[in-house]
Amino acid sequence: MLKSLFNWKVLLNLVVAIGVFVGLVWLTFRWLEHHTNHGQEIPVPNIVNKSVQEAIKILDDSGLDYEVDSFKYDPKYRPFQVLQVYPAPGSRVKDGRAIQLKVNPRTWARVEVPDVINKYSGLAFQRLEQVGLKVGDTIFEPSIQKDAVLRILYKGTAVKPKTKLPRFSVVDVVIGSGPLRNISIPNVVGLTVKEARAVIARSMFEVGLVEHEDGSKDESDIIYYQDPAAGDVRDQGMQMDLWASKRTPAELRAKIEELNSIYRMKVDTALPPIQYQEMPVQEPAYEAPPPVAAPKRESPKPSTDIQKTDAQKSSVKPSSSGAESAKPKTTGTGTSGNTTSANKPSATTQKTAEKAKAKKVVVE
């Protein structure tokens, strides 16, 4: 096997294959050098702080391409001023290499107006500030949607949601202040349905039921009846029902009378007016309650001793001289026992006399 490997034919084929491979590699590198301009590099010019028009002209003259990207707006720099360059100035690049330019835009980037219509004003203001819009004037307009955002104005013109405006733009907000009270109902009888809708909208009312006589929805039909009636007063936003027909109101008199009997209240003026008489106000008479009798107190009954004393007093009244003579005389030499026994009857008689003077008292 080794003899066959070192055969001259095998060696010749191997040498030829190696030569072909080397030749292909050399040709490939030569082609790449020619196609990529190997060794031919161009320095990136310094175009920072120049205007985008000047920068583009310089890159075209240098044989370099460019890509312009809008950078974040910075009010400290001029509009369309080149702020950054990639690759950096002074770098060497191939001919035809695209250079990226970061340019200061003319103004702030545009933002979309958020959908805050019919939303509460407090939340709407917060949402507008979040996207970068500033609220200017707050205009209040009569509406049944109190404290709700009705419209957004930019420079006096109403803008719809998702409209793009420059960031930090000032917008005015129209807010509902509540419905108006006691507005006169307009007269739309004799007008077409289309005309009546416009009149009702201008009067700040809404169209309710629209009944066509023939069942169609033709806006050219003539209004021959309305509810509420013209001249009545209602609050803003109330609905008005309409009856329309292709015939005139004069031809539908019977239908109008029928509707009047349903929707109009009749007042009978033939009855005499009711007269109200004022009655004199009489003060109610209050009777005094009967006196309450106090409980009777019985007089204390005199004791037997008192009765006896009275009897003795009425029968015998000794004189002062007799009493003095009747009193036993005591001497200083008498004993204490004789003195006490002599004075004891007189003290009892005196107490009995004082008790006899008590009067009988009856309390009613």
Side-chain angles (χ1 to χ4, degrees):
M1 181 175 179
L2 292 175
K3 292 181 179 180
S4 62
L5 180 63
F6 289 101
N7 192 356
W8 66 272
K9 293 182 179 179
V10 175
L11 294 176
L12 181 61
N13 292 332
L14 182 61
V15 171
V16 171
I18 293 172
V20 171
F21 175 75
V22 172
L24 291 174
V25 171
W26 180 80
L27 291 175
T28 302
F29 278 102
R30 292 294 298 174
W31 178 82
L32 289 175
E33 290 179 1
H34 177 73
H35 182 73
T36 59
N37 296 325
H38 182 67
Q40 298 179 5
E41 296 179 347
I42 302 174
V44 177
N46 187 7
I47 53 178
V48 178
N49 296 330
K50 295 183 179 296
S51 65
V52 65
Q53 291 84 2
E54 295 177 357
I56 291 174
K57 184 177 180 181
I58 293 173
L59 292 175
D60 288 337
D61 295 341
S62 300
L64 298 173
D65 293 337
Y66 55 86
E67 295 178 359
V68 179
D69 187 11
S70 219
F71 200 60
K72 183 179 179 181
Y73 177 71
D74 193 342
K76 296 186 298 183
Y77 300 100
R78 301 188 308 272
F80 303 117
Q81 181 179 354
V82 178
L83 302 181
Q84 293 181 6
V85 176
Y86 181 81
S91 302
R92 303 185 69 85
V93 295
K94 298 293 183 180
D95 186 15
R97 171 72 181 272
I99 307 299
Q100 294 182 358
L101 307 179
K102 300 289 186 179
V103 180
N104 191 33
R106 178 184 300 175
T107 182
W108 297 101
R110 291 181 171 269
V111 295
E112 290 186 355
V113 178
D115 187 6
V116 294
I117 304 300
N118 301 329
K119 299 293 191 305
Y120 177 63
S121 57
L123 297 176
F125 291 165
Q126 183 179 3
R127 182 61 181 148
L128 290 171
E129 292 178 357
Q130 287 177 352
V131 300
L133 296 176
K134 294 183 178 181
V135 178
D137 295 336
T138 302
I139 304 170
F140 289 92
E141 183 178 288
S143 174
I144 59 176
Q145 295 176 312
K146 187 176 181 181
D147 295 333
V149 177
L150 303 180
R151 292 186 304 278
I152 296 178
L153 305 178
Y154 177 66
K155 295 183 179 180
T157 305
V159 293
K160 296 181 180 180
K162 297 186 178 181
T163 302
K164 289 189 176 182
L165 299 177
R167 193 176 183 183
F168 300 118
S169 297
V170 179
V171 295
D172 301 330
V173 181
V174 181
I175 301 176
S177 61
L180 292 178
R181 305 294 182 182
N182 299 329
I183 306 176
S184 179
I185 298 292
N187 186 11
V188 296
V189 175
L191 303 178
T192 62
V193 176
K194 184 178 181 180
E195 294 172 345
R197 290 183 186 275
V199 173
I200 292 172
R202 286 198 302 268
S203 302
M204 292 181 289
F205 293 104
E206 295 182 2
V207 179
L209 174 67
V210 180
E211 183 175 344
H212 295 264
E213 185 184 14
D214 55 0
S216 65
K217 296 182 179 180
D218 191 359
E219 294 288 318
S220 62
D221 288 355
I222 299 175
I223 304 297
Y224 67 89
Y225 194 81
Q226 69 178 56
D227 182 62
D232 291 351
V233 290
R234 295 289 188 276
D235 295 341
Q236 178 186 356
M238 296 295 292
Q239 291 185 347
M240 292 179 56
D241 297 336
L242 307 175
W243 283 260
S245 174
K246 298 187 181 302
R247 295 186 292 175
T248 61
E251 299 174 347
L252 298 168
R253 191 173 302 275
K255 183 66 175 179
I256 293 174
E257 293 296 333
E258 180 183 353
L259 293 173
N260 281 332
S261 63
I262 300 174
Y263 296 100
R264 302 288 186 266
M265 182 182 295
K266 293 184 178 181
V267 180
D268 192 357
T269 58
L271 297 177
I274 300 175
Q275 297 181 357
Y276 297 94
Q277 296 180 357
E278 296 183 359
M279 300 297 294
V281 179
Q282 297 180 357
E283 296 182 358
Y286 299 97
E287 296 182 359
V292 180
K296 294 183 179 181
R297 296 182 181 178
E298 296 181 358
S299 59
K301 294 182 179 181
S303 62
T304 308
D305 297 338
I306 297 175
Q307 291 178 358
K308 290 181 179 180
T309 303
D310 292 340
Q312 293 176 1
K313 187 177 180 181
S314 60
S315 60
V316 179
K317 291 183 179 181
S319 61
S320 62
S321 60
E324 292 176 359
S325 61
K327 290 181 180 179
K329 294 181 181 180
T330 61
T331 60
T333 59
T335 62
S336 61
N338 295 333
T339 306
T340 305
S341 63
N343 294 335
K344 191 173 182 180
S346 64
T348 305
T349 305
Q350 185 177 0
K351 289 181 180 180
T352 306
E354 290 176 357
K355 289 180 180 181
K357 292 180 182 180
K359 296 181 181 181
K360 186 178 182 179
V361 180
V362 178
V363 179
E364 294 182 357

